Amino acid sequence: MIGQTLAHYEISELLGKGGMGEVYRARDSKLQRDVAIKILPPNLSDDPERSARFAREARTLASFQHPNVASIYGFEDVDGTRFLVMELVEGEDLAHRLKSGALPIQDAMNIASQIAQGLEDAHEKGIIHRDLKPANVRVTRDGTVKILDFGLARAMTADSVEQDLSNSPTITEGMSRTGVILGTAAYMSPEQARGQELDRRTDIWSFGCVLYELLTGQAPFKGRTVTDVIAEIMKSEPSWDDLPKDTPRHVHTLMWRCLKKDPRERLRDIGEARFYLSTPEPFPTTGRAAVRAAPNGMTKRRAAAIAPLLVVASFGAGWLLRTAPPA
């Protein structure tokens, strides 16, 4: 495809390929800007029903714009070749960045906060990502975080085959198909792995996985095969001891709430995560509200410190009631 022209898009470079198709850098000769072209696989193009469904989903996604989400500009069909035209995001994706190990805590919190902002706006518009992972998050040169492939997992598949892992909506560079599946399975929510109906809480689980990896340099659930990974997701807890010792308490709490296996017990809204991450200490630090709102360890310490004072105060009050003259 390199050197060819589709409509008014001049293709110049292969950026990646995977189960979802091939992605190229291209030049839009009409608007004089560089874009990303995602050429869809033949199994989508050859199925009229899936192709029509993809077109509907693509139009919905194209109407959604947010600074932390890579935009979709359009869906084109040129001589039977169907492709998406998307914002070209220059920079490094988190999967490559994490090859060097965990990020500093403040950097991890800043990136996660921007991810949460993009997810929050999309969720409010009824759009779910379904495939959030480090490979689908890119950081530009100026530090702006962009979520890639937003909502395309649903657009790529019909409802009856949404959990077909062999058609994983993943862009990779030089990875085998097995690698593609593993890269997706590691961030699946339990309900997604079971093939159940999904809502915004599946993105919240994946968000918790990404934040954990940013802080530790490794995915919270690992295994040699897809089956191993999914088994770990279903039965095991992440190794919380692997988190840096100076990870703020409220960030611990945030990840714990994101990675609850029962979605009914999970963080209800990703906007809460943005609050956790944008506030140095989201719990009150003085007064009765501090005791009510603080994590258990903090509450117990303060309660232990206050208890002797309450005992003294109660004795003092009793003495005053006994000795005070009548009014």
Side-chain angles (χ1 to χ4, degrees):
M1 295 296 298
I2 297 175
Q4 297 184 30
T5 299
L6 289 174
H8 52 278
Y9 300 102
E10 303 165 356
I11 298 175
S12 61
E13 179 186 356
L14 176 66
L15 298 177
K17 58 183 178 180
M20 195 173 176
E22 299 177 337
V23 182
Y24 294 88
R25 177 192 293 268
R27 183 70 175 175
D28 183 342
S29 59
K30 284 188 176 180
L31 298 179
Q32 294 299 306
R33 64 179 177 183
D34 289 337
V35 296
I37 297 289
K38 184 187 293 291
I39 297 179
L40 305 179
N43 65 329
L44 175 64
S45 299
D46 294 343
D47 185 333
E49 181 179 348
R50 291 181 67 190
S51 182
R53 186 176 189 278
F54 184 89
R56 291 195 301 271
E57 294 287 346
R59 284 193 293 270
T60 299
L61 296 171
S63 67
F64 170 58
Q65 303 289 324
H66 189 275
N68 296 118
V69 176
S71 299
I72 294 178
Y73 298 143
F75 177 50
E76 306 287 347
D77 185 341
V78 177
D79 298 329
T81 300
R82 292 180 170 87
F83 59 94
L84 283 168
V85 184
M86 305 180 298
E87 177 185 359
L88 179 65
V89 181
E90 304 279 10
E92 183 180 36
D93 68 53
L94 290 183
H96 282 86
R97 191 164 177 176
L98 284 166
K99 289 180 180 179
S100 302
L103 276 61
I105 291 175
Q106 196 55 52
D107 290 351
M109 291 176 61
N110 176 57
I111 288 172
S113 179
Q114 293 189 60
I115 294 173
Q117 291 177 50
L119 287 174
E120 181 180 16
D121 200 45
H123 287 175
E124 289 177 353
K125 294 176 172 61
I127 301 172
I128 307 170
H129 193 292
R130 289 177 170 83
D131 193 34
L132 182 67
K133 57 193 171 190
N136 279 340
V137 179
R138 183 158 292 185
V139 182
T140 66
R141 294 184 180 92
D142 66 358
T144 301
V145 173
K146 293 275 190 178
I147 307 173
L148 310 178
D149 283 358
F150 212 113
L152 293 186
R154 174 178 172 84
M156 279 294 297
T157 54
D159 289 331
S160 61
V161 295
E162 186 169 347
Q163 301 307 318
D164 178 8
L165 293 181
S166 66
N167 192 34
S168 169
T170 304
I171 302 172
T172 63
E173 294 180 9
M175 292 179 67
S176 66
R177 178 57 57 89
T178 301
V180 172
I181 298 172
L182 278 173
T184 298
Y187 307 93
M188 278 187 175
S189 65
E191 62 270 25
Q192 188 173 12
R194 292 189 185 101
Q196 296 173 340
E197 185 175 351
L198 304 180
D199 58 27
R200 64 177 66 184
R201 290 172 294 182
T202 195
D203 283 350
I204 291 173
W205 170 280
S206 301
F207 172 84
C209 291
V210 171
L211 178 54
Y212 180 95
E213 188 164 354
L214 291 174
L215 290 169
T216 65
Q218 57 187 343
F221 305 99
K222 300 178 287 296
R224 298 186 63 182
T225 68
V226 175
T227 304
D228 292 340
V229 173
I230 292 177
E232 287 296 307
I233 289 171
M234 294 300 187
K235 71 180 183 181
S236 300
E237 287 292 317
S239 178
W240 300 114
D241 291 339
D242 289 342
L243 289 166
K245 296 190 185 322
D246 51 348
T247 302
R249 175 177 291 273
H250 61 282
V251 176
H252 275 270
T253 303
L254 170 61
M255 280 182 288
W256 178 74
R257 293 190 64 196
C258 287
L259 295 176
K260 299 291 282 185
K261 298 188 187 301
D262 186 341
R264 295 171 299 180
E265 299 178 0
R266 204 171 297 157
L267 195 73
R268 302 296 296 178
D269 193 295
I270 196 65
E272 295 180 52
R274 176 179 54 77
F275 171 72
Y276 272 87
L277 293 165
S278 62
T279 306
E281 175 55 66
F283 302 108
T285 56
T286 58
R288 293 180 181 177
V291 178
R292 291 197 303 268
N296 290 336
M298 188 184 302
T299 302
K300 291 176 181 178
R301 289 194 302 272
R302 290 184 178 174
I306 293 172
L309 299 177
L310 293 176
V311 172
V312 172
S314 64
F315 275 110
W319 181 82
L320 287 173
L321 288 173
R322 288 196 302 270
T323 59

